[in-house]
Structure formats: C-alpha cells, structure tokens
Amino acid sequence: MSLDQQSAFELGNVPSREEAVTLVRRMSAQFDLTDSTPRATEDDKVLKIATFSLQKYLKEPAFASEFLERGGLESLSNIINSVSGNTLAYALKSFTSLMDHDLISGFSLGPNLIARIGHICVSETLVTICRPATEILIKIVSAENSTIADAVTPETTGYETIYMVLQKEPNLLSALIQHLQSPDYALALNSLTLLNRMLRHVPNKHRSELLEGISAGNTHKHVLRIMDNQPPEELKAQVLEFQSALVYNADQQRNTQVSICDPRHAKMLDDMWEIAHLDEGPLGGTDRWRRLGFTSEMPHREFGNTGVLGLEKMHTFAVQNPDYFAKIILQQLHRPEDKRCPFAKANIEAMELLCAHWDINSGYSATSFDPLLLQFDLVYTTTVQCFMRLFQDMEATVSDFPKVSALTRSQLRATLITDGIKDVYEFERIMLNTPYSVIRDRRLKELEWADDLLGREAIRNLRSRLNKQSYEFIRRQRINCLLQGAWFPCPQSTMRIVTLATGIPNTMSGNGQSSNGPLANPLNTNNSSGSVNTARKRWRYYKLSPSKKILQFGDFADKNPVVIKSYECLPNKVDLSLVSEIKSYHRKSSTALTLSISSLFETTSKLSFRLLSDEQVPLAEFICSSSAQASEWRDGFSMLLDQGITSKDTAEYLHSLTEIGVKIKLLQVAGDRVEIPHKHPDVPTVPAGLGSGFFYDSK
C-alpha cells in the first residue's frame, strides 16, 4: 500500500470500488486475527473501511457479478473466518448482499464456512453481527429451489445444512430461541424467521428431534411475549407463520404411522410401561398393553388416526406427569373391568378431538393469534384429565365411552369457541372445574336443539326441496346406466340350463302359461331354423337409445366387449311406449327340482324382472347379477316411465342423500349463528302510501 493510500484511509476516506476489491482480496489472504502488532492494527483499520464500503457497492448487481468473477467470494469467506467486531459485521452484511442477487450459483460455499456462520450465531453477542449471520442461514436453509443450492455442496442443502451446523454447534437452537427476547427488532425477526424455515423444511427423520428442541427451549413463552407486545406487521406475520408451521408439523406427525420396529417408537412405549410401575399381570406379558388402557396387545395399531403425534404426546404426558400417570393407571386396574376407563384410548380420543378443533388435517393457516395452540401440550394434558373426570362423574362403563367423548367435545367447544378462552390457566380451570351437571345439561340442550331444529317447518321445507334435487340426481344416474347398457343372461339360455340340469322341459312361464304359447314369443328373437345358433348365444346386451324411447338389444355367445358403444350390433328393439308395468317374476317348473336348482331360482328370482305390455305380454326380461344392478335397471325404467322408485336400495340411497344435504345446510346455519324460525314469519302490512298494488309472495 502506498503512503498516500494509507494516509487517505487514516483520514476516513472511502476507497473506490477498485480499491475496495483490491484491498479485500489482498488482505484476506494475509490477515491474522491473533496478530496485535502495530502493522496488524493498521491493516485492521484499512480492512474495516474496505469491507464497510463493500456493503454499499455489492448492492449493485453489475458490481457484485464482477466481484465474484474476480474471486471475491473466496476472499470474503476468508475474512469472515479471520476477523471479529465491526469488520466481521461488515463482511457478513456484504455476504448477504451477494446472496440477495442470487448470483453465487457455480461458486462453492463449503461446510466450514457454514459452520463458522453457525458458530458466530452462538458465540457473538453484538446484534450487528448476529443479524446478518442469521440472515445467511435463512437463505441457505431455504435453498433447495434457488441457485444458492448450487453453491452449497449436495450433502449440505436445505435443512441438512442446519442439521450439520447443529451437530457442530449444539447450542445453536437455544441461541436462536434466546434471540427472540432481544430488544433488537431485526434480530428477533431473523431468529423467528429461521426457526420457521427450519420447521417448514425439516424432513421426517429429523422432525421429532427439532420439535423436542423447540419445546425444551420454551419457545412458546418467548413467542407469547412477542404476541403480548403488539408486534409490527412483519414480526406479526412470522408469529402467525410459527403457528401454521407447528400445525403443519403436527399433521406430518399424525400421518406418520407408529411402528413397533422403530427403536424410538418402541422406547416410548417401554418408557410409559416403566413409568406406570406395573408388574406383569396374572397372564404374564400377554395383557401388558391392555393394562395401560389399550384395547389390544398391538398398541402401535391403535394410533392409526393420530400416528406418531398421538404416541409422542401421550409419552410427553407420562414423562411430565409421572405420578398422575401411575396413579390413574393403578386406579383403573382396581375398578371392575366393565367400569374402567381405558387410559390409553382416552389419550388417543383427546388427541383426535384437538386435531378436529384445529383442523390439523385440512391445511390450517393462522389468521389470528392463538395462544393456546402454542401451549398444545398443556391443552392436551387438560383435555385428557377432563375426559377421565367426566368418565368417573358419569359413573360410565366401557360401553359409554362414545358418550363421554361427546361430553368432552361439548366442553372443549364451549370453552374454546363459545367462551373464547385464550389463557391456558383459565382454560384448565374451566375444563376441570365445570360441574358435570352443567356439562351434561348443555349437551342435552344441544341434542334438543338438533331434534327441535329438524322438526321446524323451515327444515321440513328444506328437506322437501333437497329430496326433489336428490331424486333428480338419482334419476339421471339410473337412466345413464340404461344408456351405457349392460350384459344379461339370455332368457332362452336360462331355460336350457334348467332343462339340462333336470331333464325336464321348463314348460311354464312366469304367469303359469305354456312357454310355447304366444306370451313367450316376444322374447324369442330367433326362429326355429336358427335353433343351433340360438344354443350358442348365451348373453344379451341391452342398451337404451339416445332418444330414450327405444330399448335395443342383441344376443351374443360371449360378453365381449365389456361395453358396447355402437347401436348397429343391437338389431332388436322394444318400444318403451308399449310398457305398462315392470314386474318381478318367478319361473316355476312342472315337477320338483333338485335342491341346487331350487336355490338358483330362489336367488335369481329376487333379481329378475320383466317389462310387460297392457296385455301382460313380456317385452323384455332381465336377470340381474346383483342387487345393485337390479335397483339401477329396474328403477331406471321406472323413473324413465315416471313410475317412481320401486327398490329398497334406491329408496335408502335417496334418503341418505337428502339427510346428508340437510346436515350440511345445518352445519352452515350453526356456524353462522342463524336462528331458524319455528314457523313462517308473520307477513307485515303494506306500508302506507304504496296503494293496493303490492303483495307478498311466499314462494
């Protein structure tokens, strides 16, 4: 460095762009943090001014690109590894400026540099240093889909990068949590943002470990304090994202099934057994898990609806409340078997109630602060205790378990929604101290409200309207089945089966007349000369014409293809305007048949029907393969001919559709707090001055 340059820097003059780059590159290779000689001190001043200048220059994309091309990234990395104080703060800020431009693809960010940045977050106390260091980690952990990922080695991208740092700096997570208390707004914001990114990007194999670390650091207390201080919009958005990220991870855990082969899952189950302080039962180990309140000796299967989330929370409950856990298990074992509340099952049920309340499986997105969500473990513990209390107060039996669940759900809903409780201690007081009689009476009123609601005229009108809509829906569906067509056994083929099986001609038709008489002729589509061909045609395909006025069919030797789309290969036609009746029928033989053939007729007669003319001449015959096909085709013709529904299956289907529609409407009404009138509202009088030309229409 020339004497003139040194003097200029001593006077505080800012170097030019070229000078800053040159100084950074030259001094990054020779700077030694431990050197305290006068020359080293002078170099420190010069480097501080150069890195300070770089912060401004690197905000320009063109300069940043040129800086990288000249090896500036390596020089800046060397400085970060070597300096401290304000120089380090300036170097880290310059580094964030480079990352903002998304220009470092193709350049290497080695694991040592990333580990150094993690160490800075843990060891440094100056907020001016911690802020940019945390910001760099935010960008790296979110790097899977950006060019930053190209600059990081493949094994250290996204969350794996942070996990690598956590292995070298175990205190990083606690440092980030502590930074949430910082009076510096930007540092608290960056720290919470990094925690949120970690929660969003963590893979399943590291999820439980991260969540345990966040819980152990009492993160929820610091976030609650931020809530209470009315944070600025940017910080408020990160608090809401923290809530959403917690629910997202809960959903991921809920969808991860418990496996007895997983050492961690097996250990949690064994821990609960040890905490219960139970000896092996009279049956040895064969009733081990039933004694904890599971319904079988395969406890992992009972977490089907709550997954690892249910297991972990139950394990946390036992670990945090060992005395209560052991006491309640022992109490239940000393009660008569039919009066025991299965404790493990109650825990799983409580978890399902809370998952339903927070819509954990439906992509929850926080829109307002929810302090109780941040204290989920305490809410869960209180809900389990409430369940056990209600079971005892109700003097319930095992068969009453669903009723106790309904009471707990009612109390939970009343506390969280109706009363709008936000404080966890108030939540605990109301859940555990509300008298059983109050909870029971509220539940009875809910049931009465539902019964009363269903009997009101407005609901009857709603049901009537939905019934018509459901009928039209089913009518279209049934007619579409006719339009698509289906295979049925040929009537002649069925007669031959009976003849071959019994050796006796089937001489009687469904109405008791000779099958050789005129009533059988409409079904016979082949003359006597084609008897050989008829014997080979065992299947008939029926298909409704597009006009819905003609039924076409053809006889075939095999059911191929599955669906016949062309009408050209269906030469026979039935004019549906001639149909006057749709009637089930039974074939009767002139002599007794074998038991197997009798069973065959008993089965097929329930699924067989004919289309009859005014003269009771059979126009078409259908031997259906299942009750579903029988209801589709018989009711399809019946509804097409405006004769209504004839089968029990279709009638039940119509009823189910109508009731589902009514319940959906009632859910909307209950959610909107709309009062449904018991009768039609009184018609008001026409306002004065409007004359007699106005009236009210009730339609």
Side-chain angles (χ1 to χ4, degrees):
M1 182 189 310
S2 68
L3 185 62
D4 292 339
Q5 285 178 319
Q6 182 174 344
S7 300
F9 294 148
E10 287 174 352
L11 294 174
N13 294 335
V14 176
S16 66
R17 293 175 175 147
E18 286 291 333
E19 292 170 339
V21 173
T22 301
L23 286 170
V24 166
R25 290 184 61 194
R26 180 166 57 83
M27 301 191 70
S28 66
Q30 66 185 32
F31 191 80
D32 184 0
L33 186 62
T34 61
D35 191 352
S36 57
T37 62
R39 177 58 184 269
T41 302
E42 188 64 35
D43 286 346
D44 184 21
K45 293 180 181 178
V46 174
L47 185 59
K48 183 183 297 183
I49 295 174
T51 51
F52 177 82
S53 304
L54 275 180
Q55 296 177 98
K56 179 180 67 174
Y57 296 147
L58 288 174
K59 291 180 180 179
E60 302 176 16
F63 179 84
S65 179
E66 183 68 20
F67 180 79
L68 289 171
E69 292 297 331
R70 296 190 182 187
L73 181 63
E74 182 181 357
S75 300
L76 200 54
S77 299
N78 291 336
I79 291 174
I80 291 173
N81 284 320
S82 305
V83 301
S84 61
N86 287 336
T87 306
L88 177 59
Y90 301 151
L92 290 170
K93 192 63 180 174
S94 299
F95 201 93
T96 62
S97 296
L98 278 178
M99 301 182 81
D100 285 338
H101 295 305
D102 211 15
L103 293 173
I104 61 174
S105 174
F107 299 90
S108 176
L109 297 181
N112 292 334
L113 173 64
I114 298 172
R116 164 66 176 162
I117 294 172
H119 178 73
I120 290 171
C121 289
V122 174
S123 59
E124 293 290 344
T125 57
L126 289 176
V127 295
T128 53
I129 294 176
C130 292
R131 274 200 312 258
T134 308
E135 188 175 346
I136 291 171
L137 292 181
I138 292 172
K139 294 179 183 300
I140 292 175
V141 79
S142 308
E144 286 100 336
N145 298 319
S146 72
T147 57
I148 295 175
D150 298 331
V152 185
T153 53
E155 65 274 11
T156 55
T157 57
Y159 186 83
E160 294 297 335
T161 307
I162 295 297
Y163 187 74
M164 176 200 69
V165 176
L166 286 171
Q167 301 309 299
K168 296 182 178 180
E169 299 290 341
N171 294 325
L172 174 61
L173 193 59
S174 59
L176 294 174
I177 295 171
Q178 290 301 314
H179 289 166
L180 297 178
Q181 304 179 75
S182 173
D184 184 78
Y185 161 76
L187 179 57
L189 175 64
N190 283 354
S191 299
L192 185 55
T193 301
L194 179 54
L195 289 172
N196 287 338
R197 298 293 173 84
M198 292 168 69
L199 286 169
R200 285 293 187 182
H201 290 80
V202 61
N204 279 336
K205 62 181 179 179
H206 300 315
R207 191 181 310 280
S208 295
E209 183 179 357
L210 174 63
L211 292 173
E212 287 173 3
I214 288 177
S215 177
N218 289 322
T219 310
H220 69 276
K221 291 184 178 179
H222 304 316
V223 177
L224 285 171
R225 188 177 293 110
I226 294 174
M227 285 183 180
D228 294 338
N229 292 335
Q230 298 181 340
E233 284 301 317
E234 196 172 5
L235 188 53
K236 177 182 177 181
Q238 289 303 318
V239 171
L240 295 177
E241 169 60 15
F242 183 73
Q243 291 181 193
S244 299
L246 288 179
V247 174
Y248 166 78
N249 279 272
D251 184 42
Q252 295 298 309
Q253 287 186 301
R254 188 184 63 84
N255 290 323
T256 302
Q257 292 303 304
V258 176
S259 172
I260 202 69
C261 299
D262 188 308
R264 184 171 172 274
H265 298 172
K267 183 179 184 304
M268 284 191 283
L269 289 169
D270 289 338
D271 286 347
M272 289 188 288
W273 173 257
E274 294 296 332
I275 293 171
H277 300 301
L278 296 177
D279 297 325
E280 295 294 347
L283 301 178
T286 59
D287 65 340
R288 182 182 192 187
W289 299 115
R290 287 187 178 91
R291 300 180 74 196
L292 287 185
F294 292 100
T295 59
S296 71
E297 288 304 302
M298 296 181 179
H300 57 287
R301 293 186 178 180
E302 300 187 28
F303 292 98
N305 292 332
T306 59
V308 173
L309 176 65
L311 174 60
E312 287 191 353
K313 295 308 177 185
M314 184 177 174
H315 178 260
T316 301
F317 180 98
V319 171
Q320 294 181 350
N321 307 277
D323 294 337
Y324 176 83
F325 182 82
K327 177 183 175 182
I328 200 69
I329 293 292
L330 194 60
Q331 283 179 348
Q332 299 307 311
L333 290 176
H334 282 85
R335 302 182 69 182
E337 190 170 351
D338 65 328
K339 291 186 176 295
R340 295 176 186 173
C341 179
F343 185 72
K345 185 177 179 181
N347 276 260
I348 295 170
E349 186 70 15
M351 178 57 66
E352 290 189 33
L353 294 177
L354 294 176
C355 287
H357 170 72
W358 271 296
D359 290 331
I360 283 181
N361 62 338
S362 61
Y364 168 92
S365 180
T367 56
S368 60
F369 290 160
D370 192 345
L372 289 180
L373 177 61
L374 300 184
Q375 302 175 85
F376 188 89
D377 286 351
L378 292 175
V379 172
Y380 169 73
T381 299
T382 301
T383 305
V384 173
Q385 292 173 334
C386 178
F387 194 104
M388 301 299 296
R389 176 179 74 91
L390 290 176
F391 194 97
Q392 180 177 351
D393 292 349
M394 184 180 172
E395 297 181 356
T397 62
V398 175
S399 61
D400 294 323
F401 193 90
K403 297 178 182 178
V404 180
S405 178
L407 286 172
T408 308
R409 183 187 296 107
S410 176
Q411 177 67 356
L412 189 65
R413 184 190 302 114
T415 306
L416 293 177
I417 299 177
T418 306
D419 297 339
I421 299 300
K422 298 295 184 182
D423 179 75
V424 70
Y425 300 108
E426 183 69 6
F427 171 81
E428 181 181 20
R429 184 186 67 79
I430 294 176
M431 287 288 288
L432 300 183
N433 295 332
T434 301
Y436 164 70
S437 59
V438 174
I439 300 174
R440 178 198 60 201
D441 292 343
R442 183 199 306 119
R443 178 59 183 161
L444 289 174
K445 287 181 180 179
E446 291 173 355
L447 294 173
E448 290 173 1
W449 179 83
D451 291 339
D452 174 64
L453 194 64
L454 293 175
R456 297 185 188 182
E457 185 176 358
I459 300 303
R460 291 198 300 270
N461 293 337
L462 171 65
R463 180 180 282 105
S464 176
R465 177 165 56 85
L466 292 176
N467 184 270
K468 293 178 182 178
Q469 294 176 1
S470 300
Y471 180 88
E472 287 301 318
F473 171 80
I474 295 174
R475 184 176 185 272
R476 290 194 300 269
Q477 188 269 333
R478 296 293 192 250
I479 292 175
N480 284 337
C481 290
L482 305 185
L483 290 169
Q484 179 175 312
W487 289 99
F488 298 87
C490 271
Q492 295 85 355
S493 175
T494 307
M495 294 175 186
R496 284 192 302 278
I497 291 173
V498 175
T499 301
L500 292 172
T502 63
I504 302 171
N506 190 356
T507 59
M508 302 299 290
S509 66
N511 57 8
Q513 300 186 32
S514 172
S515 61
N516 297 324
L519 295 183
N521 289 338
L523 294 177
N524 188 2
T525 60
N526 299 279
N527 54 33
S528 59
S529 63
S531 59
V532 176
N533 292 332
T534 302
R536 296 177 180 175
K537 295 184 177 180
R538 300 181 296 112
W539 299 101
R540 177 170 293 180
Y541 195 89
Y542 285 107
K543 187 179 182 73
L544 183 65
S545 68
S547 67
K548 302 177 186 177
K549 296 180 180 180
I550 300 294
L551 177 66
Q552 297 185 216
F553 65 92
D555 295 339
F556 303 87
D558 298 303
K559 292 197 298 183
N560 188 31
V562 177
V563 176
I564 296 178
K565 297 182 179 180
S566 173
Y567 288 89
E568 295 179 357
C569 53
L570 305 175
N572 306 295
K573 298 181 180 180
V574 175
D575 186 352
L576 294 180
S577 64
L578 301 177
V579 178
S580 63
E581 186 179 359
I582 304 169
K583 189 175 182 179
S584 299
Y585 71 94
H586 303 262
R587 285 199 178 88
K588 300 177 183 178
S589 177
S590 59
T591 62
L593 300 176
T594 62
L595 180 61
S596 60
I597 299 301
S598 298
S599 301
L600 172 66
F601 280 143
E602 183 180 354
T603 302
T604 58
S605 63
K606 296 178 181 179
L607 306 178
S608 304
F609 67 93
R610 282 174 173 169
L611 305 182
L612 301 176
S613 66
D614 289 332
E615 295 80 15
Q616 294 297 294
V617 175
L619 303 175
E621 179 178 305
F622 302 85
I623 305 171
C624 302
S625 59
S626 65
S627 59
Q629 187 184 49
S631 65
E632 287 175 347
W633 277 75
R634 179 164 183 165
D635 285 320
F637 285 118
S638 181
M639 299 170 93
L640 177 65
L641 300 173
D642 294 326
Q643 296 181 10
I645 293 174
T646 60
S647 72
K648 181 181 177 181
D649 288 350
T650 303
E652 291 177 349
Y653 185 30
L654 174 63
H655 176 75
S656 298
L657 283 180
T658 303
E659 291 305 309
I660 290 172
V662 171
K663 290 177 181 178
I664 290 174
K665 292 294 183 182
L666 289 181
L667 285 174
Q668 296 172 350
V669 168
D672 296 336
R673 301 280 180 185
V674 177
E675 177 61 29
I676 298 178
H678 290 268
K679 60 181 181 179
H680 281 304
D682 295 333
V683 177
T685 58
V686 177
L690 294 181
S692 59
F694 291 87
F695 63 92
Y696 288 96
D697 190 346
S698 61
K699 294 182 180 180

